[in-house]
Amino acid sequence: MKKLVSLLLALMMLFSVAAFAESTTEVNVDTNTARENLSWEFKGDEYKLVCYWPAPDVFFDNYVLQGLEAFEKDFGQHVEWRVGTEWTQDVENQTCEGLRAQGYDLFYIFGADTSGANALYKDLYDSGAKVVNYAGLVDDPQESAMTLCSNVYVQAYNSTLKLIEEMGEEGTIIDVLEQLGDVNTQKRQQGVEDAVAEYPNVSIVQTLADITTAAQGHEKVSDALAANAGVKGIIATGGTASAGLATAMADYYAVNPDADHIFCATMDQGVEVMEGIANGYVDHTVSQNGWAMGYVSPLILMYLADGWEPINWGAHVDTGYIFITAENQDSWQTDIEAAAMQMIASLETDVLKQPE
Amino acid sequence: MSMEATNASSKKVPLLKRFFVQSYSSAVSATILLVLIFSIFTTAFLSNYNLFNLSRTVASYGFIAAAQMMVVVIGGMNVSVGSVGALCTVVCGLLMQEAHLPTILVVPITIIAGLICGWINGQLITRLKLAPFVITLAMSFIYDGVATGVSHGYPYKVNAGFDELGRGRFLGTSQLFALFILLVLVLVVVFRFTLFGRNVLAVGGNEAAARLSGIRADRITVLCNMLSCGMAAIAAMLWTSRTGSASPTTGADWMLYSVAVCAIGGISLNGGNFTAIGFFCGALILTMVRNGLTMLNVDIYFEKAFLGVIILFAVSVESIRSRVARRMV
């Protein structure tokens, strides 16, 4: 009887947990207007499209998936989307190869490993499929037709410039990075360091790295704030590190109510970050255009399937970004929409060339 | 040398010897050494804010390690400790954000969720007669999968005031640290003065002998697994209370650190022993090393290597000490 009650409790727990699952926020882009700018009549009735993201992630759910669903609605195509169980190239390879075996031939993939992803892309191309890499850069030489993502270097550089401006162009900064082996992290680090190098009265007092969870970010940032009394600014250039940074800043001010304001810059629009902007302990965050990645990538793949070619093989197509601050925290989506529209409109002229 | 001095020195040697043969002696020595090193080589290690931070982190790791320790003492292992932490974080967050339940209800329900996970682990281990490592590894995927599947990776907002525990002070230290001290005291009482504690150590020391002496080893195994996961649920809530956000990625690195604290603290991974001082120092050492590396601003590219070297050093010292101590006794 006791075991039965325990089992029932376990089942109740699972069902109640599932019943309360959360919904996502919405980005509203007027895609019909954007579609009208396209001149090409697509040849096929059905395109075998696949979208792959390496592991469950808020950014994918909130933005990429919404773009994907809007694409499906607008073009009447189904995109088979998969999210990996682990952020590893191995899982990504197995999933994508399995889908290729099922006949899917148009892939847009976020490379789990910036080096290993190229091998997968090459294998897929060799088997007759087409690939667009998205959401993050991979190492050279490129083995996918193109990469759709924000320019992480430019984002980090400009975010740092904005932070320095907020700091009054003087003081020390803590730079919070994620995984050092990731080429995107390296570009972000370079962006921060290049921006700081332009200001003689600003320096990086400490760099934190190897952060893979928000909890790790929280702990490391808390330690670094203790180690660097008088620090004037802190910047995170990755989404996970930003979540940890935001909770650490909330904790810092809660524990030290008389502490001076530390200017804080983050990446993405995670719940913790947006709460930080609303409460004043995060000064600005960089919003990447995940919606455009989800919408435009399959569109490009349809062009490729119809014989179009990239103007520059392996080129990086910048999906743009905007800053979110206390001033535009409720209206930032309008700016994202404008960037997405502009991108869709320029596909046939700036990104792809017609078959000869 | 005077007679008095000779007497004094002869009295000192047994005292040191007595200390040396204790399984916690290497952990205590390492703690003192690390405090000295970080105090000398960093300016902020002994600052109020850092000590407060350290006290909270020690407490968090202490509860995480306690979750592992509860099964290590019976010679088992709970690979799912972090996944249970993640699942309980999600349960806690959901109950607060979506069900709008008051904290007073959320806390016991979350602990019950942890206990149920432990009960499932324990039942599978004792019924299927498979190694705890294998069972808890498989279960870790399930718990983690449910946590991720339900949350989709989203963090949850917590009830107003829930972060008071994680951020509050008590008698000059953090409330979390006070809770950790309480936990250590409870563990001392349980392992030293209760039948349950002695039975647990007996099962860990020699399960076959324990069974022959009438101890219901399977029941002890299930209870220890329940306590382990219950502790993971508490650790999850403490961490959530500190960060003010219930993130489903909580617990991702708990497994490694929970085992490390036990090993550093002189708790045999084969089971059968528990030392409260060693356990406390183990949590302290691991936290100080992580904190100290940031304080020292070590090269970020080598940070993990430094952490590994220090943990290896601490564990090796304990291994060497125990061998020397065996010869001395």
Side-chain angles (χ1 to χ4, degrees):
Chain A
M1 186 60 192
K2 274 191 284 184
K3 282 171 190 165
L4 188 68
V5 170
S6 307
L7 200 63
L8 283 172
L9 272 171
L11 287 172
M12 271 173 60
M13 183 186 84
L14 281 177
F15 282 122
S16 53
V17 155
F20 290 121
E22 194 189 357
S23 61
T24 58
T25 55
E26 291 215 355
V27 177
N28 301 307
V29 182
D30 184 2
T31 48
N32 286 327
T33 313
R35 242 187 103 189
E36 284 164 12
N37 293 324
L38 305 174
S39 63
W40 183 253
E41 289 292 326
F42 289 103
K43 295 174 185 171
D45 293 330
E46 189 190 356
Y47 293 83
K48 303 283 279 179
L49 292 153
V50 168
C51 170
Y52 183 86
W53 186 274
D57 188 69
V58 176
F59 185 78
F60 177 79
D61 263 26
N62 253 352
Y63 308 107
V64 179
L65 194 54
Q66 284 193 37
L68 180 155
E69 284 168 352
F71 166 83
E72 284 184 324
K73 196 174 152 195
D74 288 355
F75 289 88
Q77 296 290 331
H78 168 67
V79 179
E80 183 68 24
W81 61 270
R82 295 288 170 93
V83 175
T85 50
E86 279 178 64
W87 202 289
T88 64
Q89 194 57 49
D90 182 39
V91 172
E92 183 167 295
N93 286 2
Q94 287 177 38
T95 310
C96 292
E97 284 162 2
L99 288 164
R100 179 71 191 104
Q102 290 173 41
Y104 290 95
D105 59 357
L106 300 170
F107 290 80
Y108 60 117
I109 301 170
F110 182 2
D113 175 329
T114 53
S115 171
N118 274 323
L120 170 68
Y121 299 165
K122 189 169 186 322
D123 282 350
L124 289 171
Y125 256 98
D126 288 348
S127 72
K130 297 188 188 307
V131 184
V132 164
N133 176 63
Y134 78 105
L137 294 170
V138 292
D139 294 342
D140 286 327
Q142 301 296 315
E143 299 290 353
S144 66
M146 62 190 71
T147 291
L148 267 83
C149 69
S150 309
N151 185 326
V152 288
Y153 172 86
V154 171
Q155 281 173 3
Y157 176 81
N158 285 333
S159 181
T160 311
L161 289 184
K162 188 169 172 60
L163 177 70
I164 291 171
E165 188 188 313
E166 287 160 353
M167 289 164 56
E169 300 185 3
E170 60 176 11
T172 51
I173 292 175
I174 296 171
D175 183 12
V176 187
L177 301 170
E178 292 183 349
Q179 286 178 296
L180 289 169
D182 186 334
V183 67
N184 294 291
T185 303
Q186 290 156 11
K187 285 180 185 294
R188 287 164 174 157
Q189 183 180 13
Q190 196 60 50
V192 173
E193 289 173 357
D194 287 354
V196 169
E198 291 176 16
Y199 291 84
N201 296 327
V202 179
S203 61
I204 296 172
V205 69
Q206 184 161 19
T207 301
L208 306 174
D210 214 21
I211 292 166
T212 53
T213 66
Q216 285 173 352
H218 181 102
E219 186 185 336
K220 285 200 174 187
V221 168
S222 296
D223 289 346
L225 289 174
N228 300 287
V231 69
K232 204 166 178 186
I234 185 161
I235 183 166
T237 44
T240 303
S242 293
L245 169 55
T247 59
M249 294 310 292
D251 181 66
Y252 177 75
Y253 292 121
V255 173
N256 306 288
D258 300 326
D260 289 338
H261 181 73
I262 297 172
F263 293 93
C264 176
T266 60
M267 174 67 71
D268 294 341
Q269 312 92 290
V271 174
E272 300 95 336
V273 166
M274 294 310 287
E275 206 170 297
I277 287 179
N279 292 323
Y281 49 81
V282 174
D283 295 277
H284 74 260
T285 192
V286 180
S287 167
Q288 305 180 80
N289 201 342
W291 190 96
M293 294 174 204
Y295 189 98
V296 182
S297 301
L299 191 54
I300 289 174
L301 284 163
M302 279 170 60
Y303 276 102
L304 294 175
D306 280 5
W308 285 62
E309 288 173 7
I311 292 174
N312 296 306
W313 173 265
H316 170 216
V317 180
D318 191 354
T319 48
Y321 72 94
I322 58 157
F323 287 124
I324 302 175
T325 63
E327 283 73 41
N328 70 341
Q329 59 176 311
D330 298 319
S331 61
W332 58 271
Q333 290 183 1
T334 313
D335 300 329
I336 281 286
E337 289 169 18
M341 297 270 281
Q342 196 178 357
M343 199 183 162
I344 294 165
S346 66
L347 278 182
E348 292 178 2
T349 51
D350 300 347
V351 180
L352 298 157
K353 58 185 178 187
Q354 292 234 30
E356 290 170 4
Chain B
M1 192 182 283
S2 69
M3 185 67 81
E4 280 174 13
T6 313
N7 286 343
S9 93
S10 67
K11 275 178 190 169
K12 266 184 188 173
V13 175
L15 187 69
L16 277 173
K17 202 172 166 181
R18 276 208 304 275
F19 172 71
F20 187 75
V21 295
Q22 300 297 325
S23 61
Y24 57 76
S25 62
S26 50
V28 171
S29 309
T31 304
I32 295 166
L33 188 68
L34 283 172
V35 169
L36 286 173
I37 290 171
F38 292 137
S39 307
I40 292 165
F41 292 104
T42 71
T43 51
F45 184 73
L46 294 177
S47 67
N48 281 338
Y49 179 57
N50 193 51
L51 289 178
F52 181 69
N53 252 346
L54 262 178
S55 72
R56 294 189 298 170
T57 313
V58 169
S60 302
Y61 281 118
F63 274 90
I64 293 164
Q68 192 63 255
M69 185 275 297
M70 281 314 303
V71 287
V72 164
V73 287
I74 54 164
M77 184 165 280
N78 187 355
V79 182
S80 68
V81 91
S83 306
V84 172
L87 181 62
C88 290
T89 304
V90 170
V91 170
C92 175
L94 273 172
L95 293 174
M96 288 185 179
Q97 183 180 297
E98 305 298 321
H100 307 292
L101 289 185
T103 304
I104 199 159
L105 280 178
V106 172
V107 171
I109 294 173
T110 306
I111 294 173
I112 289 170
L115 291 172
I116 291 171
C117 292
W119 179 82
I120 296 169
N121 284 359
Q123 288 295 334
L124 289 172
I125 289 165
T126 52
R127 301 281 161 126
L128 298 180
K129 303 290 179 199
L130 282 170
F133 179 86
V134 178
I135 296 289
T136 55
L137 178 67
M139 292 309 296
S140 74
F141 287 114
I142 295 175
Y143 299 140
D144 213 23
V146 173
T148 310
V150 168
S151 67
H152 286 207
Y154 285 89
Y156 298 95
K157 289 180 181 174
V158 298
N159 287 351
F162 188 68
D163 53 6
E164 281 300 310
L165 178 66
R167 292 168 181 171
R169 289 176 189 269
F170 179 76
L171 297 177
T173 184
S174 64
Q175 291 178 5
L176 290 184
F177 191 69
L179 262 183
F180 179 48
I181 295 290
L182 184 67
L183 170 74
V184 174
L185 292 175
V186 168
L187 289 173
V188 169
V189 171
V190 167
F191 284 107
R192 280 213 165 178
F193 305 111
T194 70
L195 181 64
F196 171 72
R198 284 196 292 271
N199 285 349
V200 166
L201 294 176
V203 170
N206 188 333
E207 190 179 329
R211 281 180 195 277
L212 287 172
S213 62
I215 295 170
R216 294 166 69 182
D218 284 354
R219 195 176 181 186
I220 294 287
T221 302
V222 173
L223 280 172
C224 283
N225 274 281
M226 288 177 75
L227 287 171
S228 169
C229 293
M231 210 67 82
I234 294 172
M237 284 188 288
L238 295 183
W239 190 257
T240 301
S241 165
R242 182 177 170 186
T243 60
S245 167
S247 169
T249 57
T250 301
D253 51 4
W254 285 10
M255 169 59 197
L256 183 70
Y257 293 123
S258 62
V259 174
V261 168
C262 293
I264 295 168
I267 295 168
S268 168
L269 297 184
N270 295 321
N273 87 320
F274 169 75
T275 150
I277 298 173
F279 173 70
F280 178 81
C281 289
L284 203 54
I285 288 169
L286 190 81
T287 309
M288 277 198 301
V289 170
R290 287 166 65 91
N291 175 270
L293 290 175
T294 304
M295 289 279 146
L296 288 168
N297 202 357
V298 297
D299 188 325
I300 50 172
Y301 296 95
F302 289 102
E303 191 180 321
K304 262 189 179 171
F306 285 125
L307 181 65
V309 166
I310 295 170
I311 291 174
L312 184 65
F313 176 73
V315 179
S316 305
V317 166
E318 167 52 23
S319 168
I320 294 163
R321 182 212 61 79
S322 62
R323 265 184 283 166
V324 174
R326 271 200 296 272
R327 270 187 234 136
M328 286 169 72
V329 174

